[in-house]
Amino acid sequence: MCSRLGHQRTTLSTQRTGRHEMLMSQKIGQGPSDGVAELSQLPLRGETTGSVVTSEAHGRYHDAVSAGRVFSLMIANNAITVGNLLTTVIPGQQNMLCLANPTGSGVDLALLKFMDAFVNNIGFRDVGPIWHGVFYTDVTTDRFNNPPQGVARNHLIGGPTSSALVYWITAVLPASAGLPVPLMMSGVGVNSVNSVLPSQLQNQPDMIDGAIVLPPGTAWTPLWASTSPSEAQVQSITWEEIPRERPGA
Amino acid sequence: MATVELVTGAGGNYPDGSDQTPIADSTGAMMVSPAGTRFAEAVLRGNVFSMMLTATSAGWGNFHIETTSIAAANVQFCLYNPLFSKYNLSLLRFVYGSQSGTAGATIICHGGFRQAVAPTLAATTTIKNNLPNGRPSVATGFISAAGTVFTGNTTGATFVAPTSFASEPFTVGDAPAIPRQSCLEMVDGGVVLPPGTGWVPFFMAGQSGAGWLATLSITWEEVPIPLPLGKGFTI
């Protein structure tokens, strides 16, 4: 049995910094062939290029979900018949899903997964993909004349409530809403052409996996290049709320 | 305070048995390589379980529909974590398989509920450890055919409303000519059931199907939780 500390070589112990700086060491190899007894002390194991060989203890999102930091919202069946258009200004008369991180929330919202699915076979699918739209300003205070309508659900069943505000707006927005210009971020993994029935499409989730982060005072909404009438959709957005330690968050 | 350091660089071609310093990328992050499988360690420790609902003759409308409560007479496929189990149930995989008939034009969602007392049901299912001959599960699984009453619990309490989570990555259309797409969702710990909560799959309302045959399965890891219970939830 060997001690982990025995494989850490002390390289510097400076009186100048008062810190002990140790160079981490690992044992290169395939690991023991006979398995390792419980409570064994082992060095880190490395492969031939020097990277550390790791194994996952649980599911990818288990830790964040168990801590009560992961939330999602799904909007109901047929809720969206016309989405937010990818234009310079969002028209007032749109059904829209919007995830907003209010100023002073104290958390960053790391988007994890977006899903759009079709629930009827009436109309043709919109032309083009769905885009992520991000508001760079706080849309929660004076931009929407509607209160938040959605309910964010914690993926830890019964967990704490979300710090985010979720807008699921089906009412007509007044012309004075003056929404900020959304910015394209990246295409969502669903795409289609016109004259294709919704049932002929395979919907894929966009595993955003943190590639878009909403700091306080920003918001997100999905966008379409064009829309067709009569198609009914459901959508969901899943996110992790990461506490901000910095002053003024 | 001791600072453990790495070295940056592309690494080398080190022989087995040599002592080397782990490498870091240009941002200082430690470079790692997966040892192999995703779930074998948890399975080998006997902590991963599955249950399934085999083909049912239930019509589309007999599955749970997103409403304010879980319907009593629907087909039941429910995973429940007892209040004093001392484990969190971390969902790993969910599989939907369509076999015949016409499904409704909607999607499947994850539904969660809180209930301190286990629901009662005439028929329960056998939970299988993914490690053959592994320990029994701390969870309770419920499956039944359509029309079996899911009474809530012995005290007469009712379920809270199912909650909407991330949707399944497919749409079930209503055109019979379109082959139904079976689906695997790697939940990957994305839904966790603390003690005293349960999970059911359910469907968005508003659409109907006919003569639908489907199978369902759910796989989860049972992760010990430290005491006191995790913050933020009450029963």
Side-chain angles (χ1 to χ4, degrees):
Chain A
M1 183 179 294
C2 54
S3 167
R4 278 174 292 185
L5 291 177
H7 287 269
Q8 292 172 336
R9 293 169 289 173
T10 302
T11 57
L12 291 172
S13 178
T14 64
Q15 293 181 346
R16 177 169 54 85
T17 63
R19 296 186 306 169
H20 297 279
E21 298 170 341
M22 294 182 294
L23 204 58
M24 183 181 290
S25 181
Q26 62 179 340
K27 183 74 72 178
I28 304 297
Q30 297 294 316
S33 59
D34 295 333
V36 180
E38 297 283 54
L39 302 180
S40 298
Q41 288 185 300
L42 298 172
L44 290 172
R45 182 161 72 87
E47 49 81 61
T48 54
T49 67
S51 66
V52 178
V53 180
T54 62
S55 181
E56 297 186 40
H58 310 296
R60 177 178 178 82
Y61 302 106
H62 174 79
D63 185 68
V65 173
S66 296
R69 298 197 304 264
V70 177
F71 302 84
S72 69
L73 170 84
M74 175 177 285
I75 60 176
N77 221 18
N78 302 328
I80 289 183
T81 53
V82 178
N84 299 321
L85 289 174
L86 181 61
T87 56
T88 55
V89 177
I90 291 180
Q93 191 171 3
Q94 301 287 347
N95 300 336
M96 57 190 308
L97 168 66
C98 178
L99 176 65
N101 189 4
T103 300
S105 69
V107 296
D108 289 324
L109 308 186
L111 304 189
L112 299 181
K113 178 182 179 182
F114 171 68
M115 178 66 201
D116 179 274
F118 310 100
V119 294
N120 69 14
N121 228 13
I122 300 173
F124 291 128
R125 177 71 174 88
D126 300 333
V127 176
I130 300 174
W131 302 86
H132 295 291
V134 175
F135 300 89
Y136 281 20
T137 57
D138 192 338
V139 298
T140 64
T141 56
D142 59 354
R143 301 296 183 177
F144 291 144
N145 287 355
N146 292 274
Q149 298 187 15
V151 178
R153 302 295 186 182
N154 197 315
H155 281 221
L156 178 69
I157 308 299
T161 57
S162 170
S163 300
L165 297 176
V166 180
Y167 292 86
W168 168 20
I169 296 176
T170 57
V172 176
L173 292 177
S176 61
L179 297 173
V181 178
L183 300 178
M184 291 181 289
M185 297 294 288
S186 61
V188 172
V190 290
N191 202 345
S192 66
V193 296
N194 210 339
S195 301
V196 174
L197 291 171
S199 62
Q200 295 173 287
L201 298 173
Q202 177 68 31
N203 296 288
Q204 296 290 339
D206 181 0
M207 299 302 292
I208 308 169
D209 220 0
I212 298 174
V213 176
L214 304 178
T218 63
W220 165 93
T221 189
L223 300 171
W224 282 261
S226 67
T227 60
S228 65
S230 303
E231 69 174 24
Q233 302 166 31
V234 295
Q235 293 179 340
S236 72
I237 181 71
T238 303
W239 66 94
E240 178 182 356
E241 301 189 356
I242 302 173
R244 295 169 64 96
E245 300 291 342
R246 297 181 292 277
Chain B
M1 176 180 295
T3 301
V4 177
E5 295 186 334
L6 312 171
V7 294
T8 57
N13 185 16
Y14 304 126
D16 282 357
S18 63
D19 292 331
Q20 303 293 339
T21 301
I23 57 176
D25 71 6
S26 58
T27 70
M30 181 186 291
M31 300 292 286
V32 300
S33 296
T37 63
R38 287 289 313 279
F39 303 117
E41 177 66 17
V43 171
L44 285 169
R45 291 187 178 278
N47 293 327
V48 177
F49 301 85
S50 298
M51 70 175 191
M52 73 175 298
L53 172 68
T54 55
T56 173
S57 59
W60 173 262
N62 288 323
F63 272 86
H64 292 302
I65 306 296
E66 185 203 27
T67 57
T68 55
S69 64
I70 296 177
N74 289 350
V75 167
Q76 310 298 337
F77 186 66
C78 171
L79 177 64
Y80 180 76
N81 189 6
L83 184 59
F84 299 108
S85 70
K86 301 180 181 179
Y87 287 83
N88 281 335
L89 307 188
S90 185
L91 305 189
L92 299 180
R93 294 160 55 96
F94 172 65
V95 175
Y96 154 90
S98 186
Q99 298 192 328
S100 64
T102 301
T106 186
I107 60 173
I108 301 174
C109 317
H110 299 289
F113 62 88
R114 285 186 296 169
Q115 182 167 289
V117 181
T120 58
L121 186 67
T124 59
T125 186
T126 300
I127 293 174
K128 301 292 188 183
N129 194 313
N130 282 32
L131 180 70
N133 301 315
R135 70 170 174 86
S137 169
V138 300
T140 304
F142 297 94
I143 63 171
S144 74
T148 302
V149 176
F150 204 30
T151 54
N153 61 53
T154 55
T155 63
T158 58
F159 286 102
V160 299
T163 55
S164 300
F165 294 127
S167 60
E168 276 301 292
F170 68 101
T171 295
V172 183
D174 59 359
I178 305 299
R180 294 293 153 252
Q181 182 77 28
S182 295
C183 172
L184 161 66
E185 181 191 10
M186 294 296 292
V187 188
D188 221 353
V191 177
V192 174
L193 308 180
T197 66
W199 167 91
V200 292
F202 66 96
F203 300 84
M204 305 299 283
Q207 303 292 327
S208 62
W212 186 56
L213 289 173
T215 62
L216 301 167
S217 77
I218 185 72
T219 299
W220 66 95
E221 180 186 0
E222 299 185 354
V223 182
I225 54 177
L227 296 177
L229 293 175
K231 66 177 183 179
F233 69 91
T234 57
I235 299 299

